Short mmCIF file of all heavy atoms in Angstrom, two decimals:
data_model
loop_
_atom_site.label_atom_id
_atom_site.label_comp_id
_atom_site.label_asym_id
_atom_site.label_seq_id
_atom_site.Cartn_x
_atom_site.Cartn_y
_atom_site.Cartn_z
N LYS A 309 55.03 111.09 124.15
CA LYS A 309 54.70 109.95 125.00
C LYS A 309 53.87 108.94 124.18
O LYS A 309 52.87 109.32 123.58
CB LYS A 309 53.92 110.42 126.23
CG LYS A 309 53.68 109.31 127.24
CD LYS A 309 53.03 109.78 128.52
CE LYS A 309 53.94 110.54 129.45
NZ LYS A 309 55.13 109.79 129.90
N ARG A 310 54.38 107.68 124.17
CA ARG A 310 53.71 106.68 123.39
C ARG A 310 53.42 105.45 124.24
O ARG A 310 54.18 105.13 125.16
CB ARG A 310 54.54 106.19 122.20
CG ARG A 310 55.19 107.27 121.37
CD ARG A 310 56.07 106.61 120.34
NE ARG A 310 56.58 105.32 120.80
CZ ARG A 310 56.96 104.34 120.04
NH1 ARG A 310 56.81 104.43 118.70
NH2 ARG A 310 57.42 103.22 120.51
N ALA A 311 52.36 104.75 123.90
CA ALA A 311 52.10 103.48 124.56
C ALA A 311 52.04 102.35 123.56
O ALA A 311 51.68 102.57 122.41
CB ALA A 311 50.77 103.54 125.32
N ILE A 312 52.43 101.16 123.98
CA ILE A 312 52.28 99.97 123.16
C ILE A 312 51.19 99.10 123.76
O ILE A 312 51.22 98.85 124.97
CB ILE A 312 53.62 99.19 123.02
CG1 ILE A 312 54.66 100.01 122.27
CG2 ILE A 312 53.34 97.86 122.26
CD1 ILE A 312 55.99 99.32 122.12
N LEU A 313 50.26 98.68 122.94
CA LEU A 313 49.20 97.77 123.38
C LEU A 313 49.42 96.40 122.81
O LEU A 313 49.90 96.23 121.69
CB LEU A 313 47.83 98.29 122.88
CG LEU A 313 47.44 99.64 123.47
CD1 LEU A 313 46.54 100.42 122.54
CD2 LEU A 313 46.77 99.42 124.83
N ALA A 314 49.06 95.34 123.61
CA ALA A 314 49.30 94.00 123.20
C ALA A 314 48.17 93.44 122.36
O ALA A 314 47.31 92.65 122.76
CB ALA A 314 49.49 93.10 124.43
N VAL A 315 48.11 93.90 121.14
CA VAL A 315 47.18 93.44 120.08
C VAL A 315 47.76 93.89 118.75
O VAL A 315 48.54 94.86 118.75
CB VAL A 315 45.75 94.03 120.33
CG1 VAL A 315 45.73 95.53 120.17
CG2 VAL A 315 44.71 93.34 119.45
N GLY A 316 47.52 93.18 117.70
CA GLY A 316 48.20 93.56 116.46
C GLY A 316 47.49 93.16 115.20
O GLY A 316 46.35 92.72 115.22
N LYS A 317 48.21 93.31 114.11
CA LYS A 317 47.65 93.02 112.79
C LYS A 317 47.11 91.59 112.71
O LYS A 317 46.19 91.33 111.96
CB LYS A 317 48.70 93.25 111.68
CG LYS A 317 48.97 94.70 111.38
CD LYS A 317 49.74 94.86 110.07
CE LYS A 317 49.74 96.27 109.54
NZ LYS A 317 50.73 97.19 110.20
N GLN A 318 47.75 90.68 113.42
CA GLN A 318 47.25 89.34 113.37
C GLN A 318 45.82 89.22 113.89
O GLN A 318 45.04 88.36 113.52
CB GLN A 318 48.14 88.41 114.26
CG GLN A 318 47.71 86.96 114.21
CD GLN A 318 48.65 86.06 114.99
OE1 GLN A 318 49.83 86.28 115.00
NE2 GLN A 318 48.05 85.08 115.63
N ASP A 319 45.42 90.19 114.75
CA ASP A 319 44.08 90.19 115.29
C ASP A 319 43.11 91.06 114.51
O ASP A 319 41.96 90.72 114.41
CB ASP A 319 44.13 90.69 116.73
CG ASP A 319 45.14 89.92 117.55
OD1 ASP A 319 44.99 88.70 117.69
OD2 ASP A 319 46.12 90.54 118.05
N PHE A 320 43.59 92.18 113.97
CA PHE A 320 42.63 93.09 113.29
C PHE A 320 43.02 93.47 111.87
O PHE A 320 42.34 94.27 111.23
CB PHE A 320 42.42 94.39 114.13
CG PHE A 320 43.68 95.05 114.55
CD1 PHE A 320 44.58 95.58 113.64
CD2 PHE A 320 43.97 95.20 115.94
CE1 PHE A 320 45.72 96.25 114.04
CE2 PHE A 320 45.15 95.85 116.36
CZ PHE A 320 46.02 96.37 115.43
N ALA A 321 44.09 92.86 111.33
CA ALA A 321 44.57 93.08 109.97
C ALA A 321 45.09 94.47 109.73
O ALA A 321 46.21 94.67 109.30
CB ALA A 321 43.53 92.66 108.94
#
Side-chain angles (χ1 to χ4, degrees):
K309 187 174 285 301
R310 312 175 332 152
I312 295 180
L313 295 153
V315 65
K317 285 194 166 78
Q318 183 176 324
D319 308 299
F320 50 62

